[in-house]
Amino acid sequence: MSNITQPNSKELGFRESVDLMFNRAASYMDLSPKLIEKIRVCNATYTVRFGVKLRGEVHTFTGYRAVHSEHKEPVKGGIRYSLDVNQNEVEALAALMTYKTALVDLPFGGSKGGLCINPHDWDEDELERITRRFTFELARRDLIHPSLNVPAPDMGTGEREMAWMVDEYRRLNNTNIDANACVTGKPVHLGGIAGRTEATGRGVQYALQEFFRHPEDKKKAGLRGDLDGKKIVIQGLGNVGYHAAKFLSEQDGAKVITVVERSGVIRNAKGINIEALKQHILEDRPLSDFKGGTVTPPDTSALEDSCDILIPAALEGTINLSNAHNIKTKLIIEAANGPVTAMADKILRDRGVVIIPDMYANAGGVTVSYFEWVKNVNHIRFGRLQRRRDEGKNMLLLNELEQRGNLKFSRKFKSEYIEGADEIDLVRAGLDDTMRGAYNNIREALLERPELEDLRTAAFYTAINDIALHYRSIGL
Ligand code: NAD
């Protein structure tokens, strides 16, 4: 059995799929068709081909950086390493970045990049050389630049690649005091921010928590109560999927009953221990040796397992015309970008499935990237100036209350209350606030314009409104 459900030939390409969803929302807006077109199109896509001498011969690599919208700069978006990377894909992903940053109110335009490479084909030293050369090719065209274009990790890349990129950029721009702000998702010791690695998965958790605070929304999805005991099926246990599954199971009491990975499917009706499974995968042990559940060969039909919440967190197009009719959940949260095709979206909507859309659901990554970028251009860690002062004031208040009010607080309460906010506390609080605020903006749009019908259309509507307002203010 294949581990990727093959898209039906009637299916649209990724970019066309995003455009169709965009058009649906735009059709409810009183905007000129010319302005709508300006907002929708991708401004530019650069293809770079470069050679790196490896294993005694020159290998030519192809990379892309699509800049969808520069209405705000810098533009922002991850860099993906995968053999499937192509122009259509990076343009779709760049468009989603534009709408995402508008929706969660970040001062960025949208961009996305990719390199056609299977990272597993190369050892670490080789990957470093390829990444440094790719960085050089992007930097010489200002496609990586603290005030113009700021990449971040995506599928197949992470802190390690961002460390190589920032180092290479700094070598090329050693007089630029803001050079550290050229990429986000860096290791903390190289100018990164606490909480960036977990941010996208954390954002998925906060998005679900917010959804569950609204009884009417839960009712639409046929759900009750809170996340405790809810059955989850998740596809992809990489950065996003692992953190989302870990937080939802360890902190909210949800039960991850199925993990659909590239190398197999793991099931456990009592709930999979996500940390144990992740460690097992990281140690490169055969999946079939995992004792915490039943393991079967790769098979995307596992996405059809009955559950309360389905979380596609791997790649685009995995829920499409060929399986949308068989999906047995009432709630999908799109942790990946574009996991539900436009055609599948229609089928699922008609079947009453509630979808929390990607542009909102996975915005945690770019939100914390924004905090990192702000930290880099400010050259100071969040919380550094005020933490101890806050602690002193909190202590003063408690002491005064104890003395005058004849009260005695427990040692635990005192230490928790007194503690000033560290960087990670501020990052999580800022992320939670962003996710709650954006969800409520989407809800409000839906309440004001019920004809929008669903969260995705309302999210597009909110984002397009924001961008249109920007263009109108500057006379376009
Ligand atoms: P990753 O490379 O860390 O993880 C991807 C995971 O998906 C891996 O475990 C891989 O084995 C698995 N996978 C790949 N193909 C699969 C298949 N056919 N079936 C089952 N599993 C498969 O990537 P990531 O950073 O977690 O990104 C995942 C998705 O989230 C992408 O769509 C990405 O664009 C999106 N996203 C990522 C971030 C971020 O901060 N990393 C932010 C926003 C959105």
Side-chain angles (χ1 to χ4, degrees):
M1 244 179 277
S2 155
N3 74 338
I4 297 186
T5 310
Q6 290 306 317
N8 185 298
S9 59
K10 288 186 200 137
E11 205 82 68
L12 297 172
F14 189 9
R15 198 191 58 220
E16 293 74 18
S17 195
V18 172
D19 284 351
L20 191 77
M21 294 168 177
F22 173 101
N23 289 340
R24 185 173 138 78
S27 71
Y28 294 105
M29 305 177 78
D30 188 20
L31 295 175
S32 88
K34 298 284 183 204
L35 181 57
I36 289 175
E37 187 189 2
K38 171 67 205 84
I39 296 171
R40 190 186 52 237
V41 296
C42 181
N43 287 2
T45 303
Y46 301 84
T47 307
V48 292
R49 296 188 185 84
F50 57 92
V52 186
K53 195 162 181 191
L54 299 161
R55 303 177 192 176
E57 54 185 22
V58 176
H59 294 263
T60 302
F61 297 92
T62 304
Y64 301 91
R65 188 77 181 157
V67 176
H68 177 263
S69 177
E70 293 140 307
H71 72 289
K72 290 184 184 169
E73 284 182 321
V75 293
K76 193 88 192 69
I79 288 193
R80 177 177 283 201
Y81 280 7
S82 157
L83 282 177
D84 295 327
V85 163
N86 59 61
Q87 183 170 344
N88 185 294
E89 182 185 73
V90 289
E91 289 186 358
L93 291 164
L96 282 174
M97 284 306 298
T98 297
Y99 312 137
K100 193 180 303 186
T101 52
L103 182 70
V104 296
D105 188 25
L106 305 181
F108 297 136
S111 183
K112 200 82 181 192
L115 190 62
C116 297
I117 183 177
N118 178 357
H120 303 292
D121 286 348
W122 306 95
D123 66 32
E124 190 163 346
D125 288 346
E126 291 167 336
L127 269 179
E128 178 179 346
R129 290 181 59 196
I130 298 164
T131 302
R132 286 184 180 275
R133 180 71 201 200
F134 187 31
T135 308
F136 172 76
E137 295 297 332
L138 295 177
R140 68 198 289 197
R141 294 167 177 85
D142 284 344
L143 292 169
I144 167 169
H145 188 292
S147 51
L148 294 176
N149 197 324
V150 182
D154 193 73
M155 251 176 80
T157 58
E159 281 191 351
R160 182 183 65 173
E161 287 72 19
M162 298 306 114
W164 294 331
M165 285 189 161
V166 71
D167 187 55
E168 189 64 22
Y169 187 85
R170 270 201 306 241
R171 275 172 22 160
L172 297 166
N173 299 275
N174 63 341
T175 56
N176 183 347
I177 196 165
D178 289 327
N180 266 357
C182 74
V183 290
T184 55
K186 304 176 289 290
V188 176
H189 58 272
L190 283 184
I193 195 166
R196 173 59 184 90
T197 305
E198 65 168 44
T200 310
R202 181 69 76 184
V204 171
Q205 177 195 29
Y206 289 161
L208 277 173
Q209 287 175 350
E210 185 55 25
F211 178 87
F212 273 82
R213 285 189 192 104
H214 297 277
E216 319 83 65
D217 300 11
K218 277 187 286 185
K219 201 170 157 204
K220 276 189 201 157
L223 294 166
R224 288 162 174 226
D226 54 22
L227 282 158
D228 193 30
K230 295 288 178 295
K231 287 183 277 174
I232 292 180
V233 170
I234 190 159
Q235 182 188 38
L237 210 64
N239 178 325
V240 179
Y242 158 66
H243 286 107
K246 178 180 167 71
F247 299 146
L248 288 164
S249 57
E250 290 179 5
Q251 296 169 0
D252 296 294
K255 268 197 300 187
V256 180
I257 56 162
T258 306
V259 172
V260 189
E261 248 300 332
R262 209 196 310 244
S263 50
V265 178
I266 306 94
R267 288 186 178 90
N268 184 340
K270 291 189 182 140
I272 297 162
N273 180 330
I274 294 300
E275 195 52 49
L277 176 57
K278 185 68 182 177
Q279 286 314 316
H280 187 96
I281 293 172
L282 286 177
E283 284 161 18
D284 248 344
R285 289 154 62 193
L287 211 51
S288 51
D289 289 353
F290 182 67
K291 299 286 176 254
T294 317
V295 182
T296 51
D299 175 11
T300 40
S301 69
L303 291 174
E304 298 160 22
D305 283 6
S306 178
C307 63
D308 297 309
I309 308 168
L310 173 60
I311 312 183
L315 64 169
E316 59 266 18
T318 52
I319 300 172
N320 52 49
L321 275 177
S322 59
N323 59 0
H325 284 289
N326 303 326
I327 297 292
K328 290 177 203 66
T329 186
K330 284 310 237 2
L331 178 63
I332 296 176
I333 178 159
E334 296 182 324
N337 281 306
V340 176
T341 66
M343 302 302 189
D345 187 61
K346 164 103 181 68
I347 296 169
L348 292 163
R349 271 189 281 125
D350 291 347
R351 291 184 50 215
V353 177
V354 174
I355 301 178
I356 303 179
D358 48 5
M359 89 169 76
Y360 165 68
N362 67 36
V366 69
T367 301
V368 177
S369 275
Y370 166 53
F371 302 155
E372 180 177 334
W373 181 78
V374 170
K375 173 184 178 179
N376 293 154
V377 295
N378 281 326
H379 302 272
I380 188 163
R381 166 169 54 80
F382 289 107
R384 184 165 183 174
L385 292 184
Q386 69 271 38
R387 184 177 180 202
R388 300 298 172 200
R389 180 171 160 74
D390 289 349
E391 287 185 355
K393 291 183 86 173
N394 293 345
M395 174 87 91
L396 196 69
L397 178 71
L398 288 194
N399 286 345
E400 196 68 7
L401 282 171
E402 281 193 331
Q403 274 174 20
R404 293 188 183 236
N406 213 10
L407 298 165
K408 186 79 193 136
F409 297 115
S410 72
R411 193 188 285 261
K412 184 170 176 289
F413 171 79
K414 269 173 111 172
S415 76
E416 277 178 13
Y417 183 80
I418 287 167
E419 197 178 85
D422 207 349
E423 186 170 81
I424 186 71
D425 305 318
L426 294 168
V427 163
R428 286 186 184 147
L431 175 59
D432 195 11
D433 183 58
T434 303
M435 298 308 289
R436 290 188 198 207
Y439 187 77
N440 284 290
N441 288 343
I442 300 172
R443 280 194 94 240
E444 269 165 36
L446 207 45
L447 286 174
E448 267 172 38
R449 303 284 305 264
E451 64 274 24
L452 294 171
E453 281 184 358
D454 57 282
L455 292 169
R456 188 193 308 283
T457 312
F460 266 106
Y461 180 91
T462 310
I464 298 170
N465 246 333
D466 179 85
I467 303 165
L469 188 67
H470 181 96
Y471 277 129
R472 279 204 187 121
S473 312
I474 58 168
L476 259 185

